[in-house]
Amino acid sequence: MAVETGRQEKEIVVEVNGRQQRRAVEPRLLLSDFLRHELGLTGTHVGCEHGVCGACTVLMDGQAVRSCLIFAVQAHQRSLTTVEGLEAPAGRQLHPLQEAFREKHGLQCGFCTPGILMTLVPFLQENPRPAKEEIRRLLSGHLCRCTGYLKIVEAVQEYVAGSGREARSGDGA
Ligand code: FES
Ligand code: FES
């Protein structure tokens, strides 16, 4: 019986971290593999590849999604942000949330940190003053083998307190 061996590729155009990318990809290519292997954006980590651990989380049109559950072709004409695209304010090297993680040792081994950050960014935009329980509930969607959720929660609280200070000083208070 004849076996089909030809590669079937589709062309996709996708905006990644503000830059338009045009690539021919196989329909079965996962978005996580596209980001890591085709674009070299290895900040997006792959743990379970089953949508459970959260390490592969990126933003698609501003919403947190698990890139291991999405095919690259589904990102056609979408806008993506990976951890490499987190914008730091002028004069800083890190996003304030990253600074808070560094300050409070929320980084730990760092493997799941990018996914956690990419989940937190849109969450904190919508909930600028989350309660501790809300932060914990959000983090329950991320499996961290360092088991150090305490420091991550403290980092988020540090960020929330810091953004409050910045908003007040920005008001001229
Ligand atoms: S690698 Fe995607 S959720 Fe675990
Ligand atoms: S920071 Fe190490 S596994 Fe989560």
Side-chain angles (χ1 to χ4, degrees):
M1 193 172 82
V3 177
E4 190 74 51
T5 56
R7 281 160 62 96
Q8 244 194 349
E9 295 190 329
K10 304 263 183 212
E11 186 172 88
I12 61 169
V13 179
V14 55
E15 185 186 296
V16 184
N17 299 335
R19 289 185 57 187
Q20 197 183 72
Q21 304 282 354
R22 182 183 294 271
R23 291 283 196 291
V25 298
E26 288 194 61
R28 64 178 182 157
L29 182 69
L30 296 176
L31 182 57
S32 48
D33 288 336
F34 174 72
L35 293 170
R36 290 177 57 83
H37 304 308
E38 297 284 328
L39 301 186
L41 296 170
T42 53
T44 300
H45 291 163
V46 173
C48 66
E49 289 191 277
H50 284 85
V52 176
C53 74
C56 66
T57 304
V58 299
L59 303 187
M60 181 184 276
D61 294 338
Q63 299 293 314
V65 296
R66 307 217 150 172
S67 59
C68 73
L69 294 183
I70 296 174
F71 293 114
V73 290
Q74 292 175 282
H76 180 52
Q77 295 188 332
R78 302 293 193 104
S79 169
L80 300 174
T81 306
T82 67
V83 71
E84 289 90 346
L86 271 190
E87 282 187 23
R92 294 192 191 174
Q93 290 192 321
L94 296 175
H95 186 283
L97 189 56
Q98 291 173 308
E99 285 181 355
F101 268 64
R102 183 179 63 180
E103 183 73 23
K104 290 292 178 183
H105 198 55
L107 282 165
Q108 306 173 139
C109 85
F111 185 83
C112 56
T113 312
I116 292 174
L117 291 172
M118 300 317 284
T119 294
L120 282 167
V121 165
F123 169 75
L124 291 168
Q125 280 168 355
E126 286 181 20
N127 306 281
R129 293 280 176 276
K132 196 172 184 176
E133 295 68 35
E134 291 178 288
I135 300 169
R136 285 197 168 278
R137 202 176 312 129
L138 186 86
L139 291 174
S140 69
H142 289 265
L143 301 186
C144 173
R145 285 170 295 178
C146 290
T147 67
Y149 296 99
L150 178 65
K151 291 293 172 189
I152 298 173
V153 173
E154 285 178 8
V156 178
Q157 290 180 306
E158 170 76 7
Y159 168 79
V160 168
S163 54
R165 281 196 297 272
E166 283 177 18
R168 283 193 292 279
S169 63
D171 289 345

